[in-house]
Amino acid sequence: MQSTPSWAWVVFWALLLALLVVDLLAHRGGRGQSRRAAVLWSLAWVGLGLGFCGFVWVTLGSERGHEYLAAWLIEKSLSLDNVFVFLVIFRSLNVPQRYQHEVLFLGIFGALVFRALFIFVGAAALQRWGWVSYVFGAILLVTAWRVFREDPSKQEDNRVVGWLARKLPVTDQVEGPHFVVKLQGRRLATPLLLALVGLEVTDILFAVDSVPAAFSVTTDTFILYSSNAFAILGLRALYLVIAGAVGQLKYLHYGLAGVLAFAGVKMVVETWVHIPPLLSVAIIVVVIGGAVGASLAHRRSVRQAEA
């Protein structure tokens, strides 16, 4: 594993903190909630993620630049699963759009913390015990089969949120931007708190799948965490863009399953067959692009039939 100079970590953490502050301040009071604004923000986050790839390429070398790009594409693709869960949670709890940004921001902040834990522990485990790569590969293949069989866009409830709602004293409706309120002498959780906990728990579950997928292209902790961070940062805007079109991407989950299966196979056969990071990038782009293209083609055919 190549060592990363301390100054590169400093640059990354400073940039990450600055971007979190910008995202928080730019959307206070429900600003930037329109679809057009969300599209522009999504493009900006994609540009920042690719821009950091350029930084890695120039400062750490082309090979690590390829690894970053492949890991970022994997995490960006699999983050679509998170978007589906966000939609289910907010709909089931009737959380108004003007309060969703605060929940998403805190959820993303928590995800950055938990992803760091997974990545550094996973990297240490792989370095010490080589057989862990086969465990990660098996997890990815099982998850790929589950995603292939179950379309996440058709989920109508979230089991984590349902369990919390039964166990915690919760208000019936959103009480402004508050996560906890005091009513008749009792402290009660609001739907916003349930949504936040649901987002954090489900992201941890998704990290069990997505982090091993990133390990299929690199074991460098700097590349792994920076690519994860830049993929996660744009989730809020991506949610606003995709939320209204979730049901129209009929074949997207097949593409996600394909990415997971590819990552799983790559981890299992890496000892005998080395797949370069740049080839991994090409495969991911083709698989996800094909799924999205097939979904859009199906949508057009349905519209033509209705017309």
Side-chain angles (χ1 to χ4, degrees):
M1 185 186 302
Q2 302 179 61
S3 60
T4 301
S6 300
W7 61 264
W9 279 104
V10 171
V11 169
F12 165 70
W13 284 114
L15 181 58
L16 180 62
L17 180 60
L19 292 174
L20 285 171
V21 172
V22 168
D23 187 53
L24 178 62
L25 297 179
H27 301 95
R28 295 182 69 180
R31 289 176 292 181
Q33 298 291 322
S34 68
R35 184 176 177 80
R36 179 176 180 275
V39 170
L40 293 176
W41 273 103
S42 289
L43 293 175
W45 289 121
V46 168
L48 286 165
L50 294 176
F52 197 80
C53 177
F55 167 79
V56 171
W57 191 305
V58 170
T59 59
L60 302 179
S62 60
E63 181 71 14
R64 295 174 84 182
H66 293 159
E67 291 177 353
Y68 171 93
L69 183 59
W72 179 80
L73 278 173
I74 287 175
E75 295 300 333
K76 199 69 176 175
S77 302
L78 297 180
S79 68
L80 293 170
D81 249 0
N82 296 63
V83 172
F84 294 135
V85 173
F86 295 169
L87 183 62
V88 170
I89 290 175
F90 287 139
R91 281 182 177 176
S92 63
L93 294 172
N94 294 317
V95 177
Q97 186 175 342
R98 64 181 179 277
Y99 298 132
Q100 290 176 7
H101 172 260
E102 199 167 344
V103 177
L104 288 170
F105 177 84
L106 293 174
I108 289 170
F109 182 81
L112 290 171
V113 174
F114 287 118
R115 294 295 176 98
L117 180 63
F118 278 131
I119 286 169
F120 288 104
V121 171
L126 279 171
Q127 194 172 20
R128 184 169 182 178
W129 303 296
W131 53 265
V132 172
S133 62
Y134 300 113
V135 176
F136 282 176
I139 291 173
L140 290 169
L141 290 172
V142 170
T143 305
W145 176 245
R146 175 182 58 80
V147 173
F148 181 85
R149 293 182 59 192
E150 302 173 8
D151 186 349
S153 68
K154 295 181 179 179
Q155 294 178 7
E156 296 181 356
D157 54 16
N158 183 272
R159 284 177 287 183
V160 173
V161 171
W163 183 85
L164 288 171
R166 292 191 298 271
K167 299 296 181 180
L168 296 176
V170 185
T171 59
D172 294 330
Q173 58 187 11
V174 174
E175 302 288 340
H178 306 293
F179 290 89
V180 178
V181 294
K182 191 171 184 180
L183 296 175
Q184 299 178 350
R186 296 180 62 204
R187 290 197 177 276
L188 304 175
T190 70
L192 293 188
L193 182 60
L194 287 189
L196 177 59
V197 176
L199 260 60
E200 294 292 5
V201 173
T202 49
D203 183 76
I204 291 173
L205 297 176
F206 281 134
V208 175
D209 305 330
S210 64
V211 170
F215 272 111
S216 70
V217 294
T218 182
T219 56
D220 187 305
T221 51
F222 179 77
I223 300 300
L224 285 164
Y225 190 63
S226 59
S227 60
N228 257 265
F230 277 98
I232 291 171
L233 281 173
L235 272 180
R236 181 205 61 81
L238 185 63
Y239 163 76
L240 292 176
V241 172
I242 298 295
V246 162
Q248 299 168 3
L249 300 175
K250 180 179 177 63
Y251 302 116
L252 179 61
H253 65 290
Y254 295 129
L256 299 179
V259 170
L260 287 166
F262 165 70
V265 170
K266 189 175 185 299
M267 291 209 76
V268 172
V269 305
E270 185 67 23
T271 305
W272 305 280
V273 180
H274 174 66
I275 301 176
L278 200 57
L279 179 57
S280 298
V281 170
I283 292 172
I284 295 164
V285 170
V286 169
V287 170
I288 295 297
V292 172
S295 299
L296 296 177
H298 176 266
R299 179 186 170 192
R300 282 196 299 270
S301 65
V302 169
R303 284 185 172 179
Q304 289 171 359
E306 290 176 347

